[in-house]
Each structure stands twice: as C-alpha cells, then as structure tokens.
C-alpha cells in the first residue's frame, strides 16, 4: 500500500497529477574527481546508463541542458514536485552546471545543489546564491584534513573545499552539510560542531553512517557505539547547527540498539522521484535498486505512469523493511520519515533548508494527510475483516481482498 504520496483526481476519477515532494536529478553520476573510500554511488551510477547528457568526462565537458530540461518539463506534466535536488558525480566538473541550476531555479520553488566543493568557485556561489531559491548541500566530513582522510588525497583539494565553504557561508544563506561518519571523524564530532557554530550563516549538520559492503571495515563496531553515545548526549549549545534532535537519537538507535539493521519503515519512495540524465528512473534516490522506466526509451507519459505504481515502490515501503539495501540504510531521508511518522512536527522539519520553502511545507502537509488517510483506511480494513470473521461460521473461508490488503 503506497501510503504517503498525494494524488489529485479529476471529475472522471482518473488521476490528473501525482504529487511528490521533490525530484532528484543525477547528472553524469559516474564522473567525480574524488575517490572517497566509502563511496559506491559513482560506480553504481553506471548501472543506469553510461551515455549521459555530458559531452565527455574530462575538463571542459558540458551538460546538454536543453535535453535535461525537456525531460524534466515532460516529467512535471505528470509528476508535480515543488523542490528539486541536483547532483553528480560532481556536478561542477561540468562547466555549464551553473546554467542548468539557473534553469531549474525558474521551475522549482527551491533547488538544492549537492557538491563536494572542490570545483565550486566563489563566482559560482555568488551567482547561484543571488537567485534566491538555490541552496547548497556540501559533502564535508569535518573541518580538518584528518577528519576528511577518507575523502581528500591532497591538501590542495581540502583548501579548495574550505574556500568554497567560506564563500557559501559569506552569502548568509542556510547551508546543509552531510558528514559521512567513519573511524576517521566520528570521535571528533563535537569539535566539528563547535567550528560550524562560528560560521556566519545558518548551518545544519546531518551525519549519516558509512553504507555498503565496506562499512564494517570503515566504521568499526566500537566506534559506532561510541558515536551513538555521543549523539545521545550532544550539548544543547550545539542546537543552532543541528537539525531535529529526534534524528540524532534515531541514528544512535540504528548504530547500536539495532546493530546497523533498519527497523523503521521508509517513506522516501513515496516522497521523491529520481531521474538520471540518461533517462533512467529509479524508485529511491538513496538506495538504488533497479531502473523501473526510462523516459528516453519509453516516452514521458509511459515512464511517468510507472512512477509510484511499480511493485518496487510498495516493496520498499514495507514495515519492517524487506529489501536488503533498505535494511542496511540510514540517510538524510530519515528526517522526513520522522515527520511523516509523527515523531516531529513541521516546524522542526522546516529547520532543514530543503523543506523550508512555503511550497515545500504545503506539500509536506499534503503528504502527511495522505499517510494519515492510508493509516485510517488500513485500520478500518482490519476492523471490517475482524467483524466479518467473527460473524462467519468457522471454516467458511471468509478471507477476502480486504483481508489481503489489511495484511500489507
């Protein structure tokens, strides 16, 4: 049962528009200039098409902006979302990446740009920040080379990232930082938070754990448990550079109380739609599983019809999680999960820049209402099934479609 996605229907009962919170656009996802020890995304991106809209994977490469925009505009006729996240690979290796972001800013209420910061110049920061509805999500594991030992192989790279950080914070616009927690940086979280608290803008630090087959070797059990204890005891003075407190507590439970095995349902596939610039659509922007459609191959209408309906959407929302990639996953999306599960309110969620725009908050209210209706329908189905079973003679075989739905 798809629980959170909101759908508008016409007078004839046919769906007119599928409503999600955000589109997630990957451009040249298999091209990055870093070789982070824990990264699987660059290699995995090749599974969704090598022929991207980038002219090449070398200096001076460009994005085929008209092609990408045409795909997005076609998608938006069927799947509405007020927000878009855009990333690579490393997006700013492409010389016209800022032009693409400018095009997106004219189409969405908010654009979040994910970057490792190595190619993000002050001029690009100034241009994009001046658009008013563009924010940055910087991948940064700490404020020292030692904390970034699994990311940077050269001091010069670190210097470029810190220059980009200075340029972003100088604009005064909110910044989200994603820190991948590992043996290299977990013990120094409080030092990093103290550093971020000195910056001249609103910063939100979201730690996520190492994922994938190498996670145990890069983030050992003892370090995980120590990090979990640290998350539960973060001083209140760090609140200005943190998201909702419930996120850090749930992450702590995942790391030690649940031994790195996810127990909570994830709603991300009902809130976000991922599109690669190769045309591939996958059901989840975090745990890439399989291509469910391709807008270049299938056409916009046919590909859009699959979104939210393919069996993987239902499978990836099971409670508890059933898909292996889901069972080992914890990501930024868990902030959204906390809201849709009723563990935090909209005001707490809106401290995250991605969710702060009025249009995003309105869509979140709609998604929450859709989930509430689904939960009520499930409860009613169970009550109806119990009543039917109680009124039928033993062995009557009264189980029905309602009963099957109630078990999902």
């Amino acid at each position: 049962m798809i629980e959170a996605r909101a759908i508008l229907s016409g007078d004839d009962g046919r769906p007119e528009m599928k409503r999600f919170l955000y589109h997630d656009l990957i451009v040249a996802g298999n091209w990055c200039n870093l070789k982070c020890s824990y990264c699987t995304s660059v290699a995995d991106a090749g599974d969704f098409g090598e022929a991207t809209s980038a002219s090449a994977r070398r200096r001076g490469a460009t994005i085929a902006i008209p092609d990408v925009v045409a795909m997005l505009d076609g998608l938006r006729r069927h799947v509405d979302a007020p927000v878009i996240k855009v990333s690579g690979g490393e997006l700013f290796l492409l010389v016209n990446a800022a032009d693409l972001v400018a095009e997106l800013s004219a189409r969405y209420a908010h654009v979040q740009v994910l970057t490792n910061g190595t190619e993000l110049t002050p001029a690009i920061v100034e241009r994009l920040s001046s658009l008013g509805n563009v924010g940055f999500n910087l991948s940064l594991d700490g404020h020292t080379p030692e904390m970034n030992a699994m990311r940077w192989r050269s001091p010069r790279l670190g210097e470029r990232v810190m220059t980009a950080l200075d340029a972003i914070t100088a604009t005064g616009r909110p910044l989200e930082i994603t820190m991948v927690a590992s043996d290299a940086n977990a013990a120094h979280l409080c030092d990093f938070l103290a550093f971020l608290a000195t910056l001249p803008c609103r910063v939100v630090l979201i730690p996520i754990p190492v994922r994938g087959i190498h996670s145990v070797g890069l983030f050992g059990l003892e370090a995980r448990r120590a990090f979990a204890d640290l998350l539960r005891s973060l001083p209140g003075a760090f609140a200005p550079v943190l998201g909702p407190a419930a996120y850090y507590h749930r992450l702590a439970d995942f790391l030690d109380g649940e031994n790195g095995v996810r127990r909570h349902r994830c709603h991300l596939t009902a809130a976000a739609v991922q599109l690669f610039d190769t045309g591939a659509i996958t059901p989840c922007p975090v745990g890439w599983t399989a291509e469910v459609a391709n807008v270049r191959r299938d056409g916009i209408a046919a590909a859009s019809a699959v979104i939210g309906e393919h069996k993987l959407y239902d499978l990836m929302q099971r409670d508890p999680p059933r898909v292996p990639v889901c069972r080992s996953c914890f990501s930024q999306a868990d902030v959204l999960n906390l809201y849709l599960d009723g563990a935090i309110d909209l005001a707490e969620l809106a401290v995250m820049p991605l969710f702060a725009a009025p249009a995003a908050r309105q869509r979140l209210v709609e998604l929450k209402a859709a989930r509430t209706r689904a939960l009520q329908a499930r409860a009613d189905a169970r009550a109806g099934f119990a009543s039917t079973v109680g009124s039928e003679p033993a062995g009557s075989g009264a189980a029905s479609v309602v009963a099957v739905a109630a078990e999902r």
Side-chain angles (χ1 to χ4, degrees), residues 36 148 161 189 341 390-391 408:
C36 301
N148 288 278
V161 174
L189 173 64
D341 285 336
S391 63
R408 299 184 65 181

Side-chain angles (χ1 to χ4, degrees), residues 24 141 222 240 256 288 333 356 386 402:
D24 191 290
D141 288 350
E222 184 177 343
D256 66 357
W288 296 345
V402 173

Side-chain angles (χ1 to χ4, degrees), residues 71-136:
M71 285 195 294
L72 284 170
D73 285 348
L75 183 66
R76 291 169 64 235
R77 290 196 295 270
H78 302 272
V79 184
D80 178 69
V83 174
I84 187 167
K85 296 175 69 171
V86 57
S87 63
E90 171 46 44
L91 185 68
F92 293 104
L93 288 171
L94 299 156
V95 296
N96 60 343
D99 296 332
L100 173 64
V101 176
E103 290 283 349
L104 299 179
S105 74
R107 290 165 165 79
Y108 293 86
H110 181 72
V111 182
Q112 185 180 72
V113 183
L114 283 66
T115 176
N116 65 29
T118 59
E119 305 297 312
L120 189 59
T121 66
I124 293 174
V125 170
E126 182 178 4
R127 177 188 175 186
L128 297 184
S129 297
S130 69
L131 296 173
N133 65 336
V134 175
F136 294 99

Side-chain angles (χ1 to χ4, degrees), residues 139-161:
S139 297
L140 184 64
D141 288 350
H143 60 300
T144 67
E146 293 75 19
M147 293 184 72
N148 288 278
M150 294 191 185
R151 296 184 59 79
W152 305 339
R153 301 294 186 266
S154 163
R156 288 183 299 174
L157 285 176
E159 291 169 3
R160 279 154 48 185
V161 174

Side-chain angles (χ1 to χ4, degrees), residues 195-388:
F195 166 78
L196 296 177
T198 68
L199 299 179
C201 76
R202 165 69 171 147
V203 179
V204 180
L205 178 68
I206 297 294
I208 60 173
V210 171
R211 295 194 301 268
I213 60 175
H214 303 299
S215 61
V216 175
L218 299 176
F219 197 14
L221 183 59
E222 184 177 343
R224 284 173 177 259
R225 290 175 175 168
F227 190 62
D229 290 340
L230 187 58
L231 290 172
R232 294 191 180 98
S233 60
L234 288 174
F238 290 143
V241 289
L242 296 173
Y247 173 85
Y248 306 90
H249 294 165
R250 180 167 286 190
L251 174 55
D253 290 342
F254 173 82
L255 289 172
D256 66 357
E258 300 178 7
N259 296 316
V261 178
R262 184 181 188 87
R263 305 297 183 190
H264 296 89
R265 172 180 295 186
C266 182
H267 306 288
L268 184 57
T269 58
V273 177
Q274 181 156 73
L275 173 69
F276 286 77
D277 67 332
T278 61
I281 293 174
T282 66
C284 179
V286 175
W288 296 345
T289 50
E291 178 181 307
V292 297
N294 189 296
V295 297
R296 294 185 185 274
R297 179 191 66 228
D298 307 327
I300 289 291
S304 298
V306 176
I307 293 173
E309 308 301 333
H310 191 278
K311 61 183 179 181
L312 272 173
Y313 287 88
D314 178 68
L315 187 60
M316 297 183 80
Q317 291 184 52
R318 293 297 178 90
D319 189 14
R322 309 282 180 85
V323 180
V325 70
C326 299
R327 288 173 55 80
S328 61
C329 181
F330 195 100
S331 74
Q332 299 100 316
D334 279 284
V335 182
L336 175 62
N337 287 324
L338 287 164
Y339 169 73
L340 292 175
D341 285 336
I344 62 174
D345 61 28
L346 186 59
E348 291 175 282
L349 181 63
V351 303
M352 304 292 297
L354 181 66
F355 308 121
R361 284 181 284 175
Q362 178 58 41
R363 181 56 46 84
L364 284 161
V365 170
E366 294 170 5
L367 293 175
K368 183 69 174 291
R371 170 153 170 73
T372 300
R373 290 193 299 270
L375 290 174
Q376 185 60 53
R378 175 179 291 186
D380 292 345
R382 284 175 173 158
F385 173 60
S387 175
T388 300

Side-chain angles (χ1 to χ4, degrees), residues 178-197:
T178 301
M179 165 188 164
V180 179
S182 69
D183 289 338
N185 61 1
H188 306 290
L189 173 64
C190 288
D191 294 336
F192 190 24
L193 289 169
F195 166 78
L196 296 177

